[in-house]
Amino acid sequence: EIVMTQSPATLSVSPGERATLSCRASQSVSSNLAWYQQKPGQAPRLLIYGASTRATGIPARFSGSGSGTEFTLTISSLQSEDFAVYYCQQYNNWPPGGTFGQGTKVEIK
Amino acid sequence: EVQLVESGGGLVQPGGSLKLSCAASGFTFSGSAMHWVRQASGKGLEWVGRIRSKANSYATAYAASVKGRFTISRDDSKNTAYLQMNSLKTEDTAVYYCTRGVPAARGNWFDPWGQGTLVTVSS
């Protein structure tokens, strides 16, 4: 089973600053990677699929890049509503639902 | 509006059973694969299992941690998916989400997600 490793575990950022989150796969997942945002007490929300395609309604300040084993989620200018936990998911390999990273918490500096 | 609503969570003793429901609206449920994902308190996301559509023979698959204890089913006439959980263990305590699998060239990403239902396994 592919292991997804996210870094850092916690990222402290000031509003308006740029945030860069990393996700590494233990073996290549091609571009079959998604990113989700989860706020406290809420369900995850799809942000990015195919490593770089924004989901419907997701603001342009969110961008994804990478392929193979190294992926990045960038939030260009953090807004107050962006402070949350972010998960990556590979869906290239078994199991059918893929595997998730352990999450990166973006908190207010 | 595309929506998923889970129900059926609650407190159950170890070794007991519980059945969760996931009611869908706003999309073609019958043509969609439906997945269950769980999240223990303060922890990350864990895929539980999925059921594919009739066109894909309602094929099911499960995580190793629940295989043989959990069963996923669906009723397309009711736009509802189910998660039957038997022989529950304390480590099954989590919020359970249902989500639609969006097919890619390989695998699925998940969109939308239900609000989740809490299952607590404790004596």
Side-chain angles (χ1 to χ4, degrees), chain A residues 32 34 36 38 42-46 49-50 87 89 91-98 100-102, chain B residues 35 37 39 43-47 50 61-62 97 104-111 113-116:
Chain A
N32 295 308
Y36 302 87
Q38 186 178 36
Q42 296 187 17
R45 176 176 73 144
L46 176 70
Y49 61 90
Y87 293 96
Q89 174 219 5
Y91 50 88
N92 190 70
N93 288 73
W94 184 270
F100 294 91
Q102 81 280 17
Chain B
H35 296 245
V37 176
Q39 184 173 39
K43 303 298 185 182
L45 301 168
E46 179 188 15
W47 178 78
R50 67 96 165 108
Y62 302 93
Y97 297 101
R106 290 178 66 91
N108 292 180
W109 65 81
F110 299 137
D111 185 50
W113 296 62
Q115 86 288 353

Short mmCIF file of all heavy atoms in Angstrom, two decimals, chain A residues 32 34 36 38 42-46 49-50 87 89 91-98 100-102, chain B residues 35 37 39 43-47 50 61-62 97 104-111 113-116:
data_model
loop_
_atom_site.label_atom_id
_atom_site.label_comp_id
_atom_site.label_asym_id
_atom_site.label_seq_id
_atom_site.Cartn_x
_atom_site.Cartn_y
_atom_site.Cartn_z
N ASN A 32 -2.41 11.19 -10.25
CA ASN A 32 -3.66 10.78 -9.60
C ASN A 32 -3.65 11.14 -8.13
O ASN A 32 -3.56 10.28 -7.23
CB ASN A 32 -3.87 9.28 -9.83
CG ASN A 32 -4.08 8.97 -11.29
OD1 ASN A 32 -4.93 9.57 -11.96
ND2 ASN A 32 -3.27 8.06 -11.82
N ALA A 34 -5.34 14.03 -5.19
CA ALA A 34 -6.33 15.04 -4.84
C ALA A 34 -5.95 15.71 -3.52
O ALA A 34 -5.24 15.12 -2.70
CB ALA A 34 -7.72 14.42 -4.72
N TYR A 36 -7.80 17.92 -0.23
CA TYR A 36 -9.05 18.24 0.47
C TYR A 36 -8.75 19.21 1.60
O TYR A 36 -7.69 19.17 2.21
CB TYR A 36 -9.70 16.98 1.05
CG TYR A 36 -10.01 15.92 0.03
CD1 TYR A 36 -9.05 14.97 -0.32
CD2 TYR A 36 -11.25 15.86 -0.60
CE1 TYR A 36 -9.31 14.01 -1.27
CE2 TYR A 36 -11.53 14.88 -1.55
CZ TYR A 36 -10.56 13.97 -1.88
OH TYR A 36 -10.82 13.02 -2.83
N GLN A 38 -10.34 20.52 5.30
CA GLN A 38 -11.31 20.18 6.35
C GLN A 38 -11.23 21.21 7.48
O GLN A 38 -10.17 21.40 8.08
CB GLN A 38 -11.08 18.78 6.91
CG GLN A 38 -12.17 18.35 7.89
CD GLN A 38 -11.97 16.94 8.40
OE1 GLN A 38 -10.86 16.48 8.62
NE2 GLN A 38 -13.09 16.23 8.63
N GLN A 42 -16.43 19.94 10.37
CA GLN A 42 -17.00 19.83 9.03
C GLN A 42 -16.42 18.64 8.28
O GLN A 42 -15.37 18.10 8.64
CB GLN A 42 -16.73 21.11 8.23
CG GLN A 42 -17.41 22.35 8.80
CD GLN A 42 -17.24 23.55 7.87
OE1 GLN A 42 -16.90 23.42 6.70
NE2 GLN A 42 -17.47 24.75 8.42
N ALA A 43 -17.11 18.26 7.21
CA ALA A 43 -16.61 17.22 6.33
C ALA A 43 -15.49 17.76 5.45
O ALA A 43 -15.39 18.98 5.23
CB ALA A 43 -17.75 16.70 5.46
N PRO A 44 -14.65 16.90 4.95
CA PRO A 44 -13.65 17.35 3.97
C PRO A 44 -14.34 17.92 2.73
O PRO A 44 -15.46 17.56 2.40
CB PRO A 44 -12.89 16.06 3.63
CG PRO A 44 -13.10 15.17 4.81
CD PRO A 44 -14.50 15.46 5.27
N ARG A 45 -13.62 18.83 2.06
CA ARG A 45 -14.11 19.42 0.81
C ARG A 45 -13.03 19.28 -0.25
O ARG A 45 -11.86 19.59 0.01
CB ARG A 45 -14.45 20.90 1.03
CG ARG A 45 -14.87 21.63 -0.24
CD ARG A 45 -15.29 23.05 0.01
NE ARG A 45 -14.19 23.95 0.32
CZ ARG A 45 -14.11 25.22 -0.08
NH1 ARG A 45 -15.06 25.72 -0.85
NH2 ARG A 45 -13.12 25.99 0.30
N LEU A 46 -13.42 18.82 -1.42
CA LEU A 46 -12.46 18.65 -2.52
C LEU A 46 -11.96 20.01 -3.00
O LEU A 46 -12.76 20.90 -3.29
CB LEU A 46 -13.13 17.90 -3.67
CG LEU A 46 -12.29 17.73 -4.95
CD1 LEU A 46 -11.15 16.75 -4.72
CD2 LEU A 46 -13.17 17.25 -6.11
N TYR A 49 -8.02 18.02 -7.96
CA TYR A 49 -7.89 16.64 -8.41
C TYR A 49 -6.97 16.62 -9.62
O TYR A 49 -6.67 17.68 -10.20
CB TYR A 49 -9.26 16.01 -8.73
CG TYR A 49 -10.02 16.72 -9.83
CD1 TYR A 49 -9.87 16.34 -11.16
CD2 TYR A 49 -10.90 17.77 -9.53
CE1 TYR A 49 -10.56 16.99 -12.17
CE2 TYR A 49 -11.58 18.42 -10.52
CZ TYR A 49 -11.43 18.03 -11.85
OH TYR A 49 -12.10 18.68 -12.84
N GLY A 50 -6.50 15.45 -9.97
CA GLY A 50 -5.55 15.36 -11.07
C GLY A 50 -4.30 16.16 -10.81
O GLY A 50 -3.66 16.65 -11.75
N TYR A 87 -5.57 17.64 3.47
CA TYR A 87 -5.18 16.24 3.24
C TYR A 87 -4.92 16.02 1.76
O TYR A 87 -5.67 16.51 0.91
CB TYR A 87 -6.29 15.29 3.67
CG TYR A 87 -6.56 15.26 5.15
CD1 TYR A 87 -7.57 16.03 5.71
CD2 TYR A 87 -5.81 14.45 6.00
CE1 TYR A 87 -7.84 16.01 7.07
CE2 TYR A 87 -6.06 14.41 7.37
CZ TYR A 87 -7.08 15.20 7.89
OH TYR A 87 -7.33 15.17 9.24
N GLN A 89 -4.59 12.86 -1.13
CA GLN A 89 -5.09 11.49 -1.36
C GLN A 89 -4.55 11.00 -2.69
O GLN A 89 -4.73 11.68 -3.70
CB GLN A 89 -6.62 11.46 -1.40
CG GLN A 89 -7.21 10.11 -1.77
CD GLN A 89 -8.43 10.22 -2.69
OE1 GLN A 89 -8.80 11.30 -3.14
NE2 GLN A 89 -9.07 9.09 -2.97
N TYR A 91 -5.02 8.25 -5.61
CA TYR A 91 -6.05 7.29 -6.06
C TYR A 91 -5.54 6.52 -7.26
O TYR A 91 -6.33 6.05 -8.10
CB TYR A 91 -7.37 8.00 -6.35
CG TYR A 91 -7.29 9.23 -7.24
CD1 TYR A 91 -7.37 9.12 -8.62
CD2 TYR A 91 -7.16 10.49 -6.69
CE1 TYR A 91 -7.31 10.24 -9.43
CE2 TYR A 91 -7.09 11.62 -7.49
CZ TYR A 91 -7.17 11.49 -8.85
OH TYR A 91 -7.11 12.61 -9.65
N ASN A 92 -4.23 6.35 -7.34
CA ASN A 92 -3.62 5.62 -8.45
C ASN A 92 -3.55 4.12 -8.19
O ASN A 92 -3.59 3.32 -9.13
CB ASN A 92 -2.21 6.15 -8.70
CG ASN A 92 -1.59 5.64 -9.98
OD1 ASN A 92 -2.00 6.02 -11.07
ND2 ASN A 92 -0.61 4.78 -9.85
N ASN A 93 -3.41 3.77 -6.92
CA ASN A 93 -3.16 2.37 -6.56
C ASN A 93 -4.14 1.88 -5.51
O ASN A 93 -4.78 2.67 -4.81
CB ASN A 93 -1.73 2.21 -6.02
CG ASN A 93 -0.70 2.35 -7.11
OD1 ASN A 93 -0.46 3.45 -7.61
ND2 ASN A 93 -0.11 1.24 -7.50
N TRP A 94 -4.20 0.54 -5.37
CA TRP A 94 -5.01 -0.08 -4.32
C TRP A 94 -4.65 0.53 -2.97
O TRP A 94 -3.50 0.81 -2.73
CB TRP A 94 -4.75 -1.60 -4.30
CG TRP A 94 -5.61 -2.31 -3.32
CD1 TRP A 94 -5.33 -2.57 -2.01
CD2 TRP A 94 -6.93 -2.84 -3.57
NE1 TRP A 94 -6.38 -3.23 -1.43
CE2 TRP A 94 -7.37 -3.42 -2.35
CE3 TRP A 94 -7.75 -2.88 -4.68
CZ2 TRP A 94 -8.63 -4.02 -2.24
CZ3 TRP A 94 -8.99 -3.49 -4.56
CH2 TRP A 94 -9.42 -4.06 -3.36
N PRO A 95 -5.72 0.69 -2.10
CA PRO A 95 -7.09 0.23 -2.26
C PRO A 95 -7.91 1.14 -3.18
O PRO A 95 -7.43 2.22 -3.53
CB PRO A 95 -7.64 0.26 -0.84
CG PRO A 95 -6.88 1.36 -0.19
CD PRO A 95 -5.51 1.31 -0.77
N PRO A 96 -9.13 0.74 -3.54
CA PRO A 96 -9.93 1.53 -4.48
C PRO A 96 -10.16 2.96 -4.05
O PRO A 96 -10.32 3.84 -4.90
CB PRO A 96 -11.26 0.75 -4.55
CG PRO A 96 -10.88 -0.65 -4.25
CD PRO A 96 -9.80 -0.55 -3.21
N GLY A 97 -10.19 3.20 -2.73
CA GLY A 97 -10.36 4.56 -2.25
C GLY A 97 -9.05 5.30 -2.09
O GLY A 97 -9.02 6.44 -1.62
N GLY A 98 -7.96 4.65 -2.49
CA GLY A 98 -6.67 5.29 -2.36
C GLY A 98 -6.22 5.37 -0.91
O GLY A 98 -6.77 4.71 -0.02
N PHE A 100 -4.69 8.31 2.12
CA PHE A 100 -4.58 9.71 2.50
C PHE A 100 -3.28 9.98 3.26
O PHE A 100 -2.77 9.11 3.96
CB PHE A 100 -5.75 10.11 3.42
CG PHE A 100 -7.10 10.07 2.75
CD1 PHE A 100 -7.87 8.92 2.78
CD2 PHE A 100 -7.61 11.19 2.12
CE1 PHE A 100 -9.13 8.89 2.19
CE2 PHE A 100 -8.86 11.18 1.53
CZ PHE A 100 -9.61 10.02 1.56
N GLY A 101 -2.80 11.20 3.13
CA GLY A 101 -1.76 11.66 4.01
C GLY A 101 -2.33 11.94 5.40
O GLY A 101 -3.55 11.91 5.59
N GLN A 102 -1.46 12.23 6.34
CA GLN A 102 -1.89 12.42 7.72
C GLN A 102 -2.39 13.84 7.98
O GLN A 102 -2.90 14.13 9.05
CB GLN A 102 -0.74 12.09 8.68
CG GLN A 102 0.29 13.19 8.86
CD GLN A 102 1.33 13.27 7.73
OE1 GLN A 102 1.14 12.72 6.64
NE2 GLN A 102 2.41 13.96 8.01
N HIS B 35 -18.58 5.47 -1.58
CA HIS B 35 -17.52 5.07 -0.66
C HIS B 35 -17.88 5.51 0.76
O HIS B 35 -18.64 6.46 0.96
CB HIS B 35 -16.20 5.74 -1.04
CG HIS B 35 -15.64 5.33 -2.37
ND1 HIS B 35 -14.46 4.63 -2.49
CD2 HIS B 35 -16.09 5.53 -3.63
CE1 HIS B 35 -14.21 4.43 -3.78
NE2 HIS B 35 -15.19 4.97 -4.49
N VAL B 37 -15.73 6.60 4.29
CA VAL B 37 -14.44 7.01 4.84
C VAL B 37 -14.67 7.36 6.31
O VAL B 37 -15.69 7.97 6.64
CB VAL B 37 -13.87 8.23 4.08
CG1 VAL B 37 -12.57 8.73 4.73
CG2 VAL B 37 -13.64 7.90 2.60
N GLN B 39 -13.08 8.74 10.29
CA GLN B 39 -12.09 9.61 10.92
C GLN B 39 -12.25 9.52 12.43
O GLN B 39 -13.25 9.99 12.97
CB GLN B 39 -12.27 11.05 10.44
CG GLN B 39 -11.23 12.02 10.95
CD GLN B 39 -11.36 13.38 10.30
OE1 GLN B 39 -12.46 13.89 10.07
NE2 GLN B 39 -10.22 14.01 9.98
N LYS B 43 -7.81 12.48 14.42
CA LYS B 43 -6.96 11.70 13.51
C LYS B 43 -7.26 12.02 12.05
O LYS B 43 -8.10 12.86 11.74
CB LYS B 43 -7.17 10.20 13.77
CG LYS B 43 -6.89 9.78 15.20
CD LYS B 43 -5.44 10.02 15.61
CE LYS B 43 -5.17 9.49 17.01
NZ LYS B 43 -3.77 9.76 17.43
N GLY B 44 -6.58 11.32 11.16
CA GLY B 44 -6.75 11.54 9.74
C GLY B 44 -7.86 10.71 9.14
O GLY B 44 -8.65 10.08 9.85
N LEU B 45 -7.92 10.70 7.82
CA LEU B 45 -8.98 10.03 7.08
C LEU B 45 -8.55 8.61 6.71
O LEU B 45 -7.43 8.39 6.26
CB LEU B 45 -9.30 10.83 5.81
CG LEU B 45 -9.74 12.28 6.05
CD1 LEU B 45 -9.73 13.06 4.75
CD2 LEU B 45 -11.12 12.31 6.68
N GLU B 46 -9.49 7.67 6.88
CA GLU B 46 -9.22 6.27 6.55
C GLU B 46 -10.33 5.76 5.65
O GLU B 46 -11.51 5.75 6.04
CB GLU B 46 -9.15 5.41 7.82
CG GLU B 46 -8.90 3.94 7.52
CD GLU B 46 -9.02 3.04 8.73
OE1 GLU B 46 -9.57 3.47 9.76
OE2 GLU B 46 -8.57 1.88 8.65
N TRP B 47 -9.98 5.31 4.47
CA TRP B 47 -10.96 4.70 3.57
C TRP B 47 -11.46 3.39 4.15
O TRP B 47 -10.65 2.57 4.62
CB TRP B 47 -10.33 4.47 2.20
CG TRP B 47 -11.24 3.82 1.21
CD1 TRP B 47 -12.26 4.39 0.50
CD2 TRP B 47 -11.21 2.45 0.82
NE1 TRP B 47 -12.85 3.46 -0.31
CE2 TRP B 47 -12.23 2.26 -0.14
CE3 TRP B 47 -10.42 1.35 1.17
CZ2 TRP B 47 -12.49 1.03 -0.75
CZ3 TRP B 47 -10.67 0.12 0.57
CH2 TRP B 47 -11.69 -0.02 -0.37
N ARG B 50 -16.16 0.54 -0.53
CA ARG B 50 -16.97 1.13 -1.58
C ARG B 50 -17.84 0.10 -2.25
O ARG B 50 -17.58 -1.09 -2.21
CB ARG B 50 -16.07 1.85 -2.63
CG ARG B 50 -15.17 0.93 -3.46
CD ARG B 50 -15.76 0.54 -4.83
NE ARG B 50 -14.72 -0.02 -5.69
CZ ARG B 50 -14.62 -1.31 -6.02
NH1 ARG B 50 -15.50 -2.19 -5.61
NH2 ARG B 50 -13.62 -1.71 -6.78
N ALA B 61 -15.54 -3.50 -2.21
CA ALA B 61 -14.17 -3.67 -1.76
C ALA B 61 -14.05 -3.02 -0.39
O ALA B 61 -14.77 -2.04 -0.10
CB ALA B 61 -13.18 -3.03 -2.73
N TYR B 62 -13.16 -3.56 0.45
CA TYR B 62 -13.07 -3.12 1.83
C TYR B 62 -11.61 -2.96 2.26
O TYR B 62 -10.72 -3.66 1.76
CB TYR B 62 -13.76 -4.12 2.76
CG TYR B 62 -15.21 -4.33 2.43
CD1 TYR B 62 -15.62 -5.35 1.58
CD2 TYR B 62 -16.19 -3.46 2.95
CE1 TYR B 62 -16.96 -5.53 1.25
CE2 TYR B 62 -17.53 -3.63 2.63
CZ TYR B 62 -17.91 -4.66 1.77
OH TYR B 62 -19.24 -4.83 1.45
N TYR B 97 -18.10 9.04 7.16
CA TYR B 97 -18.57 9.87 6.04
C TYR B 97 -18.89 8.97 4.84
O TYR B 97 -18.14 8.03 4.55
CB TYR B 97 -17.49 10.86 5.59
CG TYR B 97 -17.08 11.87 6.62
CD1 TYR B 97 -15.90 11.72 7.35
CD2 TYR B 97 -17.84 13.02 6.82
CE1 TYR B 97 -15.49 12.67 8.27
CE2 TYR B 97 -17.44 13.99 7.75
CZ TYR B 97 -16.27 13.80 8.47
OH TYR B 97 -15.88 14.75 9.38
N ALA B 104 -11.77 8.49 -12.30
CA ALA B 104 -10.65 9.02 -13.06
C ALA B 104 -10.13 7.89 -13.95
O ALA B 104 -10.67 6.79 -13.93
CB ALA B 104 -9.57 9.51 -12.10
N ALA B 105 -9.07 8.18 -14.70
CA ALA B 105 -8.48 7.12 -15.52
C ALA B 105 -8.08 5.94 -14.62
O ALA B 105 -8.18 4.79 -15.02
CB ALA B 105 -7.27 7.66 -16.26
N ARG B 106 -7.64 6.26 -13.43
CA ARG B 106 -7.39 5.27 -12.41
C ARG B 106 -7.99 5.78 -11.11
O ARG B 106 -7.77 6.91 -10.74
CB ARG B 106 -5.89 5.05 -12.21
CG ARG B 106 -5.19 4.35 -13.35
CD ARG B 106 -3.71 4.24 -13.06
NE ARG B 106 -3.42 3.37 -11.93
CZ ARG B 106 -3.19 2.07 -12.02
NH1 ARG B 106 -3.24 1.49 -13.20
NH2 ARG B 106 -2.91 1.35 -10.96
N GLY B 107 -8.75 4.94 -10.44
CA GLY B 107 -9.25 5.28 -9.12
C GLY B 107 -10.31 6.36 -9.11
O GLY B 107 -10.88 6.72 -10.14
N ASN B 108 -10.62 6.80 -7.92
CA ASN B 108 -11.65 7.83 -7.71
C ASN B 108 -11.12 8.91 -6.81
O ASN B 108 -10.42 8.62 -5.83
CB ASN B 108 -12.87 7.23 -6.98
CG ASN B 108 -13.66 6.22 -7.77
OD1 ASN B 108 -14.65 5.68 -7.27
ND2 ASN B 108 -13.27 5.93 -8.98
N TRP B 109 -11.50 10.16 -7.09
CA TRP B 109 -11.42 11.16 -6.03
C TRP B 109 -12.83 11.31 -5.47
O TRP B 109 -13.78 10.73 -6.00
CB TRP B 109 -10.84 12.48 -6.52
CG TRP B 109 -11.62 13.22 -7.55
CD1 TRP B 109 -12.70 14.03 -7.36
CD2 TRP B 109 -11.40 13.22 -8.97
NE1 TRP B 109 -13.17 14.52 -8.55
CE2 TRP B 109 -12.38 14.06 -9.55
CE3 TRP B 109 -10.47 12.59 -9.80
CZ2 TRP B 109 -12.44 14.28 -10.92
CZ3 TRP B 109 -10.54 12.82 -11.16
CH2 TRP B 109 -11.51 13.65 -11.70
N PHE B 110 -12.99 12.06 -4.40
CA PHE B 110 -14.24 12.06 -3.66
C PHE B 110 -14.90 13.44 -3.63
O PHE B 110 -14.32 14.42 -3.17
CB PHE B 110 -14.00 11.61 -2.22
CG PHE B 110 -13.44 10.22 -2.11
CD1 PHE B 110 -12.43 9.93 -1.22
CD2 PHE B 110 -13.94 9.18 -2.89
CE1 PHE B 110 -11.92 8.65 -1.11
CE2 PHE B 110 -13.44 7.90 -2.79
CZ PHE B 110 -12.42 7.63 -1.90
N ASP B 111 -16.15 13.48 -4.11
CA ASP B 111 -16.90 14.72 -4.13
C ASP B 111 -18.34 14.43 -4.50
O ASP B 111 -18.57 13.77 -5.53
CB ASP B 111 -16.30 15.69 -5.15
CG ASP B 111 -16.98 17.05 -5.14
OD1 ASP B 111 -17.11 17.63 -4.04
OD2 ASP B 111 -17.36 17.54 -6.21
N TRP B 113 -19.06 15.11 -0.05
CA TRP B 113 -19.03 14.35 1.18
C TRP B 113 -20.28 14.66 2.00
O TRP B 113 -20.76 15.79 1.99
CB TRP B 113 -17.81 14.72 2.03
CG TRP B 113 -16.48 14.42 1.42
CD1 TRP B 113 -15.95 14.94 0.25
CD2 TRP B 113 -15.48 13.55 1.94
NE1 TRP B 113 -14.70 14.43 0.03
CE2 TRP B 113 -14.38 13.58 1.05
CE3 TRP B 113 -15.39 12.74 3.07
CZ2 TRP B 113 -13.21 12.83 1.26
CZ3 TRP B 113 -14.23 12.00 3.29
CH2 TRP B 113 -13.16 12.05 2.39
N GLY B 114 -20.75 13.66 2.71
CA GLY B 114 -21.82 13.93 3.66
C GLY B 114 -21.27 14.62 4.90
O GLY B 114 -20.05 14.81 5.03
N GLN B 115 -22.14 14.98 5.81
CA GLN B 115 -21.74 15.70 7.02
C GLN B 115 -21.14 14.78 8.07
O GLN B 115 -20.52 15.25 9.02
CB GLN B 115 -22.93 16.48 7.61
CG GLN B 115 -23.84 15.69 8.56
CD GLN B 115 -24.72 14.66 7.85
OE1 GLN B 115 -24.79 14.58 6.62
NE2 GLN B 115 -25.43 13.87 8.64
N GLY B 116 -21.31 13.48 7.89
CA GLY B 116 -20.75 12.50 8.81
C GLY B 116 -21.72 12.12 9.92
O GLY B 116 -22.62 12.88 10.30
#
